[in-house]
Amino acid sequence: MLIREVIFNFTEIVVTSKVIMILVKRNNIVEVLDLLDSEEFQGDTNESSTIVGDSKRTYTTSYLIYAITSNISYFSQVIAPVFVNLIFGSSLTTELPICNYYFLSDETRKKYFVFWFVYQALGMYGHMIYNVTGDSFLAGVLLMTETQMRVINNKLINLNKKTKHGTDDKADEDKEMSKLKKCLRHYDLVLKYCSAVQNLINVTIFVQFGIGSIIICVALCALLLPSKTETMIFMVTYFMVMTMQIFIPGWLGTKIRHESQQLVFAAYNTDWLSRYKPFKRNIMIFVERANIPIQMTGLKMFPLSLVTFTSIMKTAYSLFTLIRNVQEPDVVKH
């Protein structure tokens, strides 16, 4: 029971940061959603629309996996013990889902047990849904950042067509120049979007990653303790969800940086040598800006990357090993 209470307390810190983000950063959220609704972000070409559509389907699938895993975790912790007790004809479990309210007397706790159980069960489900929604929203805005980078890369690659010399030289040049200007405007919107997303997730990601190693460490410790089947299912699924909370932003952060770096190569691979000076000048300015990769961070203290994810997992395992080494002498003494 103590393990579950520790997990709940640390999880509530992360949930609170997400609540504060929604309440305080409402203007940022509106700005992000407005940019997502723009024509450029929806895809103004067939290729762009395909890329955006694929990302939306990926997001939907990932959300379903995350939500199903979270519901399994909740079911095993709250609903499964009730079914087990009813099936085997025993009385309702004397443990509450989250906290046993030690400040109450045993008599008071038993008298109002059903009320406390329902209250905690509903509250826990509400917090779970909010957590899933918040994590999915953060992952979604990061995924769309990476998606827009791929869209711009695709547009730049499509500029890689040699101008036909002849009477249509000027018309072809104007057409390609128009495409380039659209790319530059799109890139400017993406930079604005990235700035809004960074301001939105700054503190929340810092808290989530900072608390993540502690939660994962506690979950690992809980997996080693003797427990019921439903409790073991809860711990395994909870460990998976907590790992996903850190892995997905880290993976998307790495993808965003990679795709932003690819913009330079995509621009350089256009047929800019045969273009007129205005085209070359715009390409040069774009490359100078794109040379600075886009990197999402947590409170400007660490980057969102797989390297950060690996460091957190190593820290969690180190804490877990330390706790195990401290516990083993006590076990030997007993």
Side-chain angles (χ1 to χ4, degrees), residues 72-282:
I72 291 173
S73 182
Y74 172 82
F75 180 86
S76 63
Q77 173 66 18
V78 179
I79 308 300
V82 177
F83 280 144
V84 169
N85 288 326
L86 291 176
I87 291 172
F88 289 98
S90 58
S91 59
L92 190 64
T93 177
T94 56
E95 281 191 356
L96 294 170
I98 300 173
C99 176
N100 263 339
Y101 292 151
Y102 299 107
F103 57 87
L104 297 175
S105 64
D106 292 340
E107 182 181 349
T108 303
R109 194 183 306 116
K110 289 180 181 179
K111 183 178 180 180
Y112 299 101
F113 180 81
V114 175
F115 171 78
W116 298 127
F117 190 93
V118 173
Y119 169 73
Q120 289 193 10
L122 293 177
M124 187 176 180
Y125 190 79
H127 280 242
M128 182 205 72
I129 292 297
Y130 191 89
N131 217 3
V132 170
T133 304
D135 289 334
S136 300
F137 174 72
L138 294 177
V141 295
L142 290 173
L143 176 62
M144 289 310 298
T145 306
E146 185 267 342
T147 300
Q148 296 307 314
M149 292 296 173
R150 285 194 285 126
V151 169
I152 297 175
N153 269 312
N154 179 265
K155 288 181 177 180
L156 289 172
I157 290 172
N158 287 334
L159 289 175
N160 192 20
K161 299 176 182 177
K162 291 186 177 180
T163 304
K164 296 179 180 179
H165 296 285
T167 56
D168 292 330
D169 271 5
K170 188 65 171 63
D172 289 341
E173 185 68 25
D174 290 342
K175 182 179 179 181
E176 295 305 310
M177 189 65 184
S178 176
K179 289 182 180 179
L180 177 60
K181 287 181 178 179
K182 284 185 178 180
C183 288
L184 297 180
R185 284 195 293 269
H186 191 178
Y187 183 64
D188 186 61
L189 284 176
V190 171
L191 292 179
K192 184 179 179 182
Y193 175 81
C194 290
S195 177
V197 170
Q198 180 63 71
N199 291 333
L200 176 64
I201 69 174
N202 213 11
V203 177
T204 303
I205 287 294
F206 173 78
V207 174
Q208 184 163 301
F209 275 55
I211 301 295
S213 59
I214 301 175
I215 296 177
I216 292 173
C217 174
V218 175
L220 285 172
C221 293
L223 289 173
L224 295 179
L225 297 176
S227 56
K228 299 177 182 178
T229 303
E230 57 269 21
T231 303
M232 184 60 65
I233 294 174
F234 166 73
M235 288 301 172
V236 171
T237 52
Y238 189 85
F239 174 78
M240 292 171 58
V241 169
M242 289 299 104
T243 303
M244 289 169 64
Q245 272 191 357
I246 302 172
F247 171 76
I248 292 177
W251 176 67
L252 290 173
T254 300
K255 291 277 288 181
I256 290 169
R257 182 180 175 87
H258 172 73
E259 291 295 336
S260 66
Q261 290 173 325
Q262 290 298 109
L263 292 175
V264 177
F265 298 102
Y268 185 77
N269 286 330
T270 59
D271 188 30
W272 59 275
L273 288 174
S274 62
R275 303 295 183 189
Y276 295 144
K277 285 185 178 180
F279 189 96
K280 294 178 180 178
R281 184 167 55 250
N282 282 315

Side-chain angles (χ1 to χ4, degrees), residues 221 224-225 320 322-332:
C221 293
L224 295 179
L225 297 176
F320 166 71
L322 177 62
I323 293 173
R324 284 285 295 168
N325 291 335
V326 171
Q327 286 180 336
E328 283 179 358
D330 294 336
V331 174
V332 173

